[in-house]
PDB file of all heavy atoms in Angstrom:
ATOM      1  N   GLU A  35       0.705 -12.938 -25.008  1.00 96.00           N
ATOM      2  CA  GLU A  35       0.168 -11.993 -25.947  1.00 96.00           C
ATOM      3  C   GLU A  35      -1.334 -12.312 -26.334  1.00 96.00           C
ATOM      4  O   GLU A  35      -2.024 -11.373 -26.722  1.00 96.00           O
ATOM      5  CB  GLU A  35       0.942 -11.957 -27.238  1.00 96.00           C
ATOM      6  CG  GLU A  35       2.310 -11.192 -27.023  1.00 96.00           C
ATOM      7  CD  GLU A  35       2.071  -9.806 -26.451  1.00 96.00           C
ATOM      8  OE1 GLU A  35       1.154  -9.057 -26.873  1.00 96.00           O
ATOM      9  OE2 GLU A  35       2.752  -9.377 -25.448  1.00 96.00           O
ATOM     10  N   ASP A  36      -1.721 -13.520 -26.172  1.00 96.00           N
ATOM     11  CA  ASP A  36      -3.112 -13.966 -26.494  1.00 96.00           C
ATOM     12  C   ASP A  36      -4.029 -13.916 -25.318  1.00 96.00           C
ATOM     13  O   ASP A  36      -5.164 -14.314 -25.440  1.00 96.00           O
ATOM     14  CB  ASP A  36      -3.164 -15.279 -27.222  1.00 96.00           C
ATOM     15  CG  ASP A  36      -2.607 -16.427 -26.334  1.00 96.00           C
ATOM     16  OD1 ASP A  36      -2.132 -16.110 -25.208  1.00 96.00           O
ATOM     17  OD2 ASP A  36      -2.679 -17.620 -26.768  1.00 96.00           O
ATOM     18  N   TRP A  37      -3.469 -13.482 -24.191  1.00 98.00           N
ATOM     19  CA  TRP A  37      -4.476 -13.324 -23.001  1.00 98.00           C
ATOM     20  C   TRP A  37      -5.452 -12.202 -23.283  1.00 98.00           C
ATOM     21  O   TRP A  37      -5.134 -11.167 -23.931  1.00 98.00           O
ATOM     22  CB  TRP A  37      -3.498 -12.934 -21.838  1.00 98.00           C
ATOM     23  CG  TRP A  37      -4.387 -12.762 -20.563  1.00 98.00           C
ATOM     24  CD1 TRP A  37      -4.741 -13.764 -19.694  1.00 98.00           C
ATOM     25  CD2 TRP A  37      -4.899 -11.523 -20.022  1.00 98.00           C
ATOM     26  NE1 TRP A  37      -5.509 -13.249 -18.709  1.00 98.00           N
ATOM     27  CE2 TRP A  37      -5.640 -11.858 -18.871  1.00 98.00           C
ATOM     28  CE3 TRP A  37      -4.900 -10.202 -20.451  1.00 98.00           C
ATOM     29  CZ2 TRP A  37      -6.306 -10.908 -18.071  1.00 98.00           C
ATOM     30  CZ3 TRP A  37      -5.557  -9.295 -19.598  1.00 98.00           C
ATOM     31  CH2 TRP A  37      -6.282  -9.587 -18.519  1.00 98.00           C
ATOM     32  N   VAL A  38      -6.626 -12.404 -22.907  1.00 98.00           N
ATOM     33  CA  VAL A  38      -7.694 -11.440 -23.128  1.00 98.00           C
ATOM     34  C   VAL A  38      -8.401 -11.191 -21.819  1.00 98.00           C
ATOM     35  O   VAL A  38      -8.312 -12.049 -20.860  1.00 98.00           O
ATOM     36  CB  VAL A  38      -8.727 -11.775 -24.165  1.00 98.00           C
ATOM     37  CG1 VAL A  38      -8.040 -11.947 -25.551  1.00 98.00           C
ATOM     38  CG2 VAL A  38      -9.432 -13.143 -23.806  1.00 98.00           C
ATOM     39  N   CYS A  39      -9.056 -10.125 -21.767  1.00 98.00           N
ATOM     40  CA  CYS A  39      -9.885  -9.732 -20.575  1.00 98.00           C
ATOM     41  C   CYS A  39     -10.877 -10.876 -20.213  1.00 98.00           C
ATOM     42  O   CYS A  39     -11.670 -11.249 -21.103  1.00 98.00           O
ATOM     43  CB  CYS A  39     -10.683  -8.494 -20.809  1.00 98.00           C
ATOM     44  SG  CYS A  39     -11.821  -7.966 -19.447  1.00 98.00           S
ATOM     45  N   PRO A  40     -10.872 -11.365 -19.007  1.00 98.00           N
ATOM     46  CA  PRO A  40     -11.721 -12.500 -18.648  1.00 98.00           C
ATOM     47  C   PRO A  40     -13.213 -12.204 -18.661  1.00 98.00           C
ATOM     48  O   PRO A  40     -14.093 -12.975 -18.663  1.00 98.00           O
ATOM     49  CB  PRO A  40     -11.215 -12.941 -17.313  1.00 98.00           C
ATOM     50  CG  PRO A  40     -10.480 -11.808 -16.773  1.00 98.00           C
ATOM     51  CD  PRO A  40      -9.936 -11.016 -17.965  1.00 98.00           C
ATOM     52  N   LEU A  41     -13.473 -10.873 -18.657  1.00 98.00           N
ATOM     53  CA  LEU A  41     -14.947 -10.484 -18.551  1.00 98.00           C
ATOM     54  C   LEU A  41     -15.458 -10.119 -19.906  1.00 98.00           C
ATOM     55  O   LEU A  41     -16.600 -10.540 -20.245  1.00 98.00           O
ATOM     56  CB  LEU A  41     -15.044  -9.186 -17.628  1.00 98.00           C
ATOM     57  CG  LEU A  41     -14.789  -9.389 -16.101  1.00 98.00           C
ATOM     58  CD1 LEU A  41     -15.123  -8.042 -15.392  1.00 98.00           C
ATOM     59  CD2 LEU A  41     -15.548 -10.623 -15.586  1.00 98.00           C
ATOM     60  N   CYS A  42     -14.670  -9.420 -20.806  1.00 98.00           N
ATOM     61  CA  CYS A  42     -15.231  -8.954 -22.028  1.00 98.00           C
ATOM     62  C   CYS A  42     -14.469  -9.412 -23.300  1.00 98.00           C
ATOM     63  O   CYS A  42     -14.921  -9.158 -24.365  1.00 98.00           O
ATOM     64  CB  CYS A  42     -15.438  -7.417 -22.066  1.00 98.00           C
ATOM     65  SG  CYS A  42     -13.950  -6.482 -22.203  1.00 98.00           S
ATOM     66  N   GLY A  43     -13.281 -10.056 -23.061  1.00 98.00           N
ATOM     67  CA  GLY A  43     -12.565 -10.527 -24.215  1.00 98.00           C
ATOM     68  C   GLY A  43     -11.687  -9.502 -24.937  1.00 98.00           C
ATOM     69  O   GLY A  43     -11.153  -9.768 -25.978  1.00 98.00           O
ATOM     70  N   ALA A  44     -11.452  -8.296 -24.277  1.00 98.00           N
ATOM     71  CA  ALA A  44     -10.608  -7.264 -24.812  1.00 98.00           C
ATOM     72  C   ALA A  44      -9.217  -7.699 -24.840  1.00 98.00           C
ATOM     73  O   ALA A  44      -8.789  -8.485 -24.047  1.00 98.00           O
ATOM     74  CB  ALA A  44     -10.772  -5.976 -24.022  1.00 98.00           C
ATOM     75  N   GLU A  45      -8.462  -7.295 -25.797  1.00 98.00           N
ATOM     76  CA  GLU A  45      -7.046  -7.662 -25.832  1.00 98.00           C
ATOM     77  C   GLU A  45      -6.209  -6.770 -24.902  1.00 98.00           C
ATOM     78  O   GLU A  45      -6.664  -5.807 -24.508  1.00 98.00           O
ATOM     79  CB  GLU A  45      -6.584  -7.382 -27.425  1.00 98.00           C
ATOM     80  CG  GLU A  45      -7.364  -8.299 -28.388  1.00 98.00           C
ATOM     81  CD  GLU A  45      -6.820  -8.029 -29.750  1.00 98.00           C
ATOM     82  OE1 GLU A  45      -6.010  -7.251 -30.020  1.00 98.00           O
ATOM     83  OE2 GLU A  45      -7.388  -8.851 -30.646  1.00 98.00           O
ATOM     84  N   LYS A  46      -4.972  -7.229 -24.746  1.00 98.00           N
ATOM     85  CA  LYS A  46      -4.070  -6.568 -23.852  1.00 98.00           C
ATOM     86  C   LYS A  46      -3.930  -5.138 -24.241  1.00 98.00           C
ATOM     87  O   LYS A  46      -3.772  -4.216 -23.365  1.00 98.00           O
ATOM     88  CB  LYS A  46      -2.690  -7.235 -23.802  1.00 98.00           C
ATOM     89  CG  LYS A  46      -2.629  -8.524 -23.169  1.00 98.00           C
ATOM     90  CD  LYS A  46      -1.186  -9.078 -23.095  1.00 98.00           C
ATOM     91  CE  LYS A  46      -0.210  -8.334 -22.211  1.00 98.00           C
ATOM     92  NZ  LYS A  46       1.087  -8.929 -22.232  1.00 98.00           N
ATOM     93  N   SER A  47      -3.988  -4.790 -25.487  1.00 98.00           N
ATOM     94  CA  SER A  47      -3.758  -3.390 -25.940  1.00 98.00           C
ATOM     95  C   SER A  47      -4.906  -2.494 -25.542  1.00 98.00           C
ATOM     96  O   SER A  47      -4.807  -1.245 -25.584  1.00 98.00           O
ATOM     97  CB  SER A  47      -3.598  -3.423 -27.477  1.00 98.00           C
ATOM     98  OG  SER A  47      -4.760  -3.878 -28.097  1.00 98.00           O
TER      99      SER A  47
END
Side-chain angles (χ1 to χ4, degrees):
E35 284 306 313
D36 61 355
W37 181 85
V38 296
C39 175
L41 295 186
C42 75
E45 297 180 358
K46 285 180 72 179
S47 57

